[in-house]
Amino acid sequence: KAGVTQTPRYLIKTRGQQVTLSCSPISGHRSVSWYQQTPGQGLQFLFEYFSETQRNKGNFPGRFSGRQFSNSRSEMNVSTLELGDSALYLCASSLPSGGSTDTQYFGPGTRLTVL
Amino acid sequence: GDSVTQMEGPVTLSEEAFLTINCTYTATGYPSLFWYVQYPGEGLQLLLKATKADDKGSNKGFEATYRKETTSFHLEKGSVQVSDSAVYFCALSDHAGGTSYGKLTFGQGTILTVHP
């Protein structure tokens, strides 16, 4: 079974621009979660989507948004980019079965650099 | 809120040495616990998991036991290899009250370097 895929793998943008990242989950997985990884803050949860609905959101400004399509693919968008948005953005997919035991499987990430 | 604390790194070992990476947690409900590993330039790979007290997760020679009484999930390996050099993350998933859907809470990560 193919793993989680993320596109693009690398992005360079300038301050003030916006960016869209894409994530294709493992076939059959319906939940997609997004995380931001930075050296200073570590891994932080952005949001989670299930059946095209955002069920959970982390503590990020409204410039960070996402959506999920009927085939479970997900996109996240960051508007008005700031230097501090430079990070590795990871998405993860899971079935889910509904409890805390679900395992999340991660993609390789998109490395975003904001100049 | 939920939190995960890992031992300070980096950890540097010689090949075939014993490895312990400490992990303790605070959670509202009854969480599941995970160890993930990240190799340079890659995403996170699940190493092992445990979903209830006294469960032992194991994979590729790594083990960790879910200790509810000490709120710990320490990672161990009896004999490390150079190929184990990576960053290791302890994480928890807690669906207490249904407010944590799809959220993993991670520790800060421990860099492991193994020398031949």
Side-chain angles (χ1 to χ4, degrees), chain A residues 9 31 33 35 37 43 45 48 55-56 88 90 98-109, chain B residues 30-32 34 36 38 41-44 46 49 51 89 93-95 99-104 106:
Chain A
R9 291 293 310 278
S31 170
S33 299
Y35 297 85
Q37 185 178 22
L43 281 152
F45 172 76
E48 187 258 6
R55 295 195 299 178
N56 199 4
L88 181 66
L90 294 162
S100 66
T101 61
D102 298 326
T103 297
Q104 293 188 21
Y105 297 90
F106 284 79
Chain B
Y30 200 161
S32 293
F34 305 82
Y36 283 88
Q38 186 175 35
E42 299 184 12
L44 276 68
L46 176 69
K49 66 184 274 191
T51 60
F89 292 93
S93 171
D94 185 2
H95 279 196
T99 58
S100 297
Y101 289 117
K103 178 182 178 180
L104 286 170
F106 286 90

Side-chain angles (χ1 to χ4, degrees), chain B:
Chain B
D2 298 341
S3 67
V4 176
T5 302
Q6 286 181 235
M7 66 184 288
E8 293 287 329
V11 174
T12 303
L13 296 173
S14 298
E15 206 165 25
E16 298 184 4
F18 184 84
L19 169 71
T20 299
I21 302 177
N22 290 338
C23 171
T24 57
Y25 68 89
T26 303
T28 306
Y30 200 161
S32 293
L33 303 173
F34 305 82
W35 277 100
Y36 283 88
V37 58
Q38 186 175 35
Y39 298 99
E42 299 184 12
L44 276 68
Q45 298 178 24
L46 176 69
L47 186 58
L48 52 84
K49 66 184 274 191
T51 60
K52 60 183 187 295
D54 300 325
D55 262 4
K56 178 185 282 189
S58 61
N59 185 28
K60 299 179 182 180
F62 291 90
E63 293 182 340
T65 301
Y66 188 141
R67 299 290 187 198
K68 191 168 185 288
E69 63 276 13
T70 55
T71 61
S72 64
F73 192 55
H74 304 322
L75 182 68
E76 296 182 338
K77 187 176 186 183
S79 176
V80 293
Q81 305 300 313
V82 172
S83 57
D84 294 327
S85 297
V87 183
Y88 292 80
F89 292 93
C90 184
L92 70 81
S93 171
D94 185 2
H95 279 196
T99 58
S100 297
Y101 289 117
K103 178 182 178 180
L104 286 170
T105 299
F106 286 90
Q108 66 269 40
T110 301
I111 300 172
L112 171 66
T113 303
V114 180
H115 292 297

Side-chain angles (χ1 to χ4, degrees), chain A residues 8-61:
Chain A
R9 291 293 310 278
Y10 302 92
L11 266 178
I12 300 175
K13 294 286 187 178
T14 57
R15 279 180 298 175
Q17 288 186 310
Q18 76 164 14
V19 67
T20 299
L21 313 182
S22 181
C23 172
S24 292
I26 292 170
S27 177
H29 285 192
R30 296 169 62 196
S31 170
V32 174
S33 299
W34 288 88
Y35 297 85
Q36 181 194 65
Q37 185 178 22
T38 60
Q41 299 298 317
L43 281 152
Q44 294 186 288
F45 172 76
L46 281 156
F47 29 66
E48 187 258 6
Y49 286 86
F50 173 75
S51 290
E52 303 178 64
T53 300
Q54 184 184 89
R55 295 195 299 178
N56 199 4
K57 187 177 190 304
N59 188 26
F60 278 82

